[in-house]
Structures are given as C-alpha cells and as structure tokens.
Amino acid sequence: MDTGFVAALGDWRDRPGPLARTLAAAVRDAVVDGRLPAGTRLPSERELARTLRLSRGTVVTALGLLRADGWLHTRHGSGSAVRLPARLTERTTPWSLDRGGAPDAGLDLTLAVTAAPHEAYRAALARAVDRSAPLLVDSGVATAGLPRLRELIADRYTRAGLATRPEQILVTAGAQAALTLLLDHLHTDRRAPVVVENPAYPGALAVLRARGARLLPVPVSAAAGWDLAHLGAAVRRHRPRLVYLVPDFHNPTGAHMDPGTRRALAALADRHRLTVLADETMRELDLRTPPGTEPHLAGARVVQIGSASKTLWSGLRVGWIRATADLVRQLRRTPLQAQLSPPPLEQLIAAELLGAPLPALLADRRARLRAQRDHLAALLAGTGWTYTVPPGGLTLWLHLGEAGPDATDLAARAAARGLAITPGPRFSADRTTLTRHLRLPFTATPETLARAVGLLRECWTP
C-alpha cells in the first residue's frame, strides 16, 4: 500500500465516534487540507482493512459514507478515487481582486510585503542618478542586465557555495516576470502538467493558469515539509516536464527544505529529465539566530529565480534568473524578454542596494520581522487556531480547526468589518480546498497586527 495515503490520514483513531465515521472524516479532512490531492486512488477495501487493522465491514461503511457525500468516485474495474464534491467545485467565493470584498478596508493583510528602507533607498537613488550619465548615451535597448548588477548577483551565489558567472544571470522585472519568461520558453507541451506545491504562492498559480498549464499539486506543510514520495509517484505517473517550488521559507507555510531533500529532489530531476524552477525570493528572510547556511537547491536541471522585492521593497521591480549560460542566451533571443526587462535606472538602484548596504539592511529587516512574527504568535494564543512558527519568510499559515466558519466565510465577515485577509483556497491549485486555512502576514506593525487579530477574534464564532 502507498504509505503516503495512510500518513495523510494523521491520527484519525484519536477522534471520538464510530470508526467508520471517523475514518471517512479523516479522508475528507485530508482532501480539504491538500494532504490528499483530488484524484488520488484508494487502495482496495481488503488492503485498506489490513493496513489500518480494521474489519472489512468498517472500511466498506466508511467508503460508502464518502461515496454518498460526493467525496469518492468509484468506477467498475478501476477502483475508487477521492474527489471534491460538486457543491464545493461549483461554489463562488467573495474573495477576489478587490481584496476579499473589502476594497476600502482600513486594514489590509492580503499582501505579504515589507516596508521600504526609506533612508537607504533614497541614498541609493541619489547614487544611481549620479552614475546614470553613461546610460544616456547608450541605446536603451533591453539587455540581459547591467553588467555591474549581474556581477553582484553572480557573486552572491558564488559566496553562498553555488559558483556562478555573470553570463549565467538574466535580470528581469521581478520574480513573476522571470517565471513568465521561463514558462514561455520551457512550457511548450501543454499536455504535460506542471508540478506545483499545495498550498502554493497565488502569484505563481496565476501565471501558470494564464498559460493554460495543467497543475499537478503535491503537498507541503510547515511541519512535515515536502512529500518526496508523493512527488516521485506523481512524476512517474504523469510525466511532467516542469516543477515549480519555493524551497526557502515557502509562501505561505514558511517551510524550509532541508539539505537531504534538496539533494534528493535534484537527483529526481536528473532521473526524469525534469526542470525545477526554484523560487528563492524568500531566501534572505531567514529569521533564525544566527541565520542558517543551507545550500541553494541546485543541480544540472535546476533554475533559480531571485528578486529584490521581498528582501528590499516590492516597489523595486528587479528580479533575476540564474541558469546555464546557454539557457540565458536562449531566453535573451525570445521576443518577450525585452518586455520583461526592468528600466536601467531601476537596475542601478538595485545594484546600489545589493552592494555594500545589503548586510545592514538584511540584519535590520530580519530583526523587525522576527519581532513582528513573535508578536503575532502571542496575539493568536488562546484562539484555538494552530500553526507552526516559521523559521523565516513573511507569513503564518493558520489552521482554523473544525468549529466555526471556514476561511472564506471568515474572510467575508472580516471584510464587512474593514479587514482584508486571504483565505486558504486562494493558495490551492484547484481553488477550492484548504478551506480551513488562513494566511496572516507578519509584515505589518505590532499595532496593526493587534487590531487585525482583535477583529478576527470578534468575527470568529465557534
């Protein structure tokens, strides 16, 4: 039997009630939480009964309950597979681009962004303007990036243990621009699915959906990390060509990939000719003391995506791709590259900030985020909501429990009170699961976080 299926059920025997009902509830919860992706085939009744040490009658009853409620589809000769009931897949939610139905909300926790480093940015802008004269005699045509900026980025990779030359760097107008450019070049077979995490970063999901990509979700959690066994099985069965992952302080869970998983993932990519797109936009936001020294997710088939927007300021739309020099040359030849290249002055500013000022900026940024994270965790004490304190990143990923409204309903209630928040389905590849989860950024001031949590408590009625 696939041990991943059993692991996805968790400690279901600890629940009160008849075994058949608690088993059915455990399967439903695993689907809703994304631990058991829709379409997963169940073991046979006999095998399930033997592994779970249950009578076959109990298993038959549990599967019957799931089937009657729309959570299980059985086809003669093909076995049974979990699925989402039609009432969930047809459901519309109030959360949209209007910030959860609260376009004029006084409190906005839908964006996990940091404040600009005012003094450092103004100083960098002044230095960049002073150094901009040579640009004005240039053609202004988009290139792979200003030489000084490419050298700085390549040097940072090299000093982190991943030897990199400037010609392996392509500067883009942010991380999403980098992902868009890579997909335009690499995702040429629309029949092949793209592996994504579940939950996943909504910005990446939006880019993938815009290209019509078929998404193949694999579970990730703050506590357990990435399920490599599940990923390997999905790769062998569905034969994807691309994998998109956030290995460093994953958005939204905050999970951090350990070195062994990084090596195993790179080896899996080599065996199956997978290209792994490793989004490293959160990598510098390491809140451990001292920060860790884990290697980059690297390998012959791994492409890194970086950005200054989370580390410095979201208004600085400068990102980059680190790949082989040959892939960088190919990307430069695509018509889309010029449209996704940042203006030269923006690159000059980024080069100023990513140089000598960066260590002090990072130390200050990490200290502030660490204090805000711990403050938010203290505010949530006694709510009954559960989470794992992330070692880095910008957000807490809450599980709301089974009592009270689901995340979408809670977001609607909060919107009516002037608080915009992001419910779990926004991070789901199928847009409907993760209904008991909520993302809360800790990028706001302690006062703002206190007001937001106070409103959430008032909206929560178990």
Side-chain angles (χ1 to χ4, degrees):
M1 174 188 283
D2 182 2
T3 56
F5 172 78
V6 178
L9 301 182
D11 298 326
W12 67 275
R13 286 181 181 271
D14 296 340
R15 303 184 183 194
L19 287 176
R21 290 191 177 277
T22 55
L23 175 57
V27 173
R28 285 196 301 269
D29 291 348
V31 176
V32 168
D33 287 349
R35 289 175 279 122
L36 200 60
T40 300
R41 293 195 177 279
L42 270 62
S44 68
E45 295 171 356
R46 187 185 305 278
E47 189 177 1
L48 193 57
R50 183 178 65 252
T51 303
L52 297 178
R53 300 190 304 278
L54 296 171
S55 70
R56 189 171 179 182
T58 298
V59 170
V60 169
T61 301
L63 299 185
L65 291 171
L66 290 167
R67 196 173 293 110
D69 205 25
W71 292 89
L72 193 65
H73 175 68
T74 302
R75 179 178 297 175
H76 182 68
S78 300
S80 299
V82 295
R83 66 176 180 181
L84 291 166
R87 65 179 182 276
L88 291 182
T89 56
E90 295 168 359
R91 179 179 180 180
T92 57
T93 71
W95 208 102
S96 63
L97 294 179
D98 64 358
R99 297 192 301 149
D104 301 316
L107 292 173
D108 182 7
L109 292 188
T110 62
L111 298 175
V113 295
T114 53
H118 292 267
E119 296 302 321
Y121 191 90
R122 288 167 60 88
L125 175 59
R127 293 193 301 272
V129 170
D130 287 342
R131 297 180 179 181
S132 63
L135 296 177
L136 301 179
V137 298
D138 198 1
S139 66
V141 174
T143 65
L146 297 183
R148 179 168 173 247
L149 179 56
R150 296 174 77 194
E151 289 169 4
L152 280 168
I153 295 169
D155 183 61
R156 289 191 61 77
Y157 280 107
T158 298
R159 285 189 284 116
L162 184 57
T164 303
R165 305 186 308 277
E167 54 265 36
Q168 292 179 258
I169 302 298
L170 177 64
V171 179
T172 62
Q176 288 197 44
L179 178 59
T180 300
L181 185 59
L182 286 165
L183 289 174
D184 182 72
H185 183 69
L186 297 174
H187 187 230
T188 56
D189 183 359
R190 298 298 179 88
R191 297 169 299 176
V194 178
V195 175
V196 296
E197 296 149 324
N198 197 36
Y201 169 51
L205 293 178
V207 172
L208 286 159
R209 287 173 181 141
R211 287 196 55 79
R214 186 161 60 92
L215 305 181
L216 181 61
V218 296
V220 59
S221 70
W226 287 258
D227 188 339
L228 272 185
H230 189 112
L231 175 57
V235 167
R236 289 188 294 273
R237 180 177 179 187
H238 298 282
R239 301 184 182 280
R241 300 267 61 86
L242 286 175
V243 180
Y244 170 82
L245 301 172
V246 183
D248 296 286
F249 315 117
H250 173 259
N251 184 1
T253 68
H256 190 53
M257 190 177 289
D258 62 78
T261 301
R262 293 170 193 257
R263 291 191 296 271
L265 184 56
L268 179 72
D270 287 342
R271 284 197 306 274
H272 295 278
R273 300 186 59 78
L274 285 168
T275 297
V276 178
L277 306 181
D279 187 334
E280 298 183 331
T281 53
M282 298 284 187
R283 182 174 172 85
E284 302 281 12
L285 300 178
D286 188 341
L287 304 185
R288 296 170 292 181
T289 51
T293 57
E294 287 87 356
H296 287 270
L297 173 54
R301 303 192 64 84
V302 180
V303 177
Q304 291 83 15
I305 296 172
S307 172
S309 65
K310 301 297 186 184
T311 303
L312 297 171
W313 178 43
S314 61
L316 185 61
R317 304 307 302 168
V318 173
W320 54 86
I321 295 166
R322 183 211 173 269
T324 63
D326 182 60
L327 178 55
V328 167
R329 284 191 293 269
Q330 293 176 42
L331 293 172
R332 286 196 60 187
R333 290 196 292 266
T334 65
L336 193 59
Q337 188 264 329
Q339 302 174 41
L340 298 175
S341 178
L345 184 58
E346 289 281 286
Q347 297 186 52
L348 277 179
I349 297 169
E352 292 296 331
L353 290 170
L354 292 173
L358 187 59
L361 287 173
L362 281 177
D364 179 72
R365 177 76 78 207
R366 289 166 176 161
R368 291 175 183 270
L369 288 173
R370 191 180 301 114
Q372 289 163 198
R373 177 199 63 186
D374 297 344
H375 181 68
L376 177 57
L379 291 169
L380 293 170
T383 60
W385 304 331
T386 58
Y387 56 88
T388 298
V389 176
L394 299 171
T395 61
L396 287 186
W397 182 239
L398 306 184
H399 189 280
L400 299 175
E402 304 308 317
D406 66 17
T408 300
D409 291 338
L410 182 60
R413 296 184 188 189
R417 302 288 299 275
L419 169 63
I421 54 175
T422 313
R426 280 284 295 171
F427 302 88
S428 170
D430 59 25
R431 310 186 203 214
T432 54
T433 54
L434 305 174
T435 58
R436 308 304 303 181
H437 286 83
L438 184 73
R439 186 187 76 168
L440 284 185
F442 44 81
T443 51
T445 64
E447 296 76 18
T448 298
L449 292 174
R451 290 171 56 204
V453 173
L455 276 173
L456 282 177
R457 285 177 177 268
E458 293 173 14
C459 296
W460 177 259
T461 54

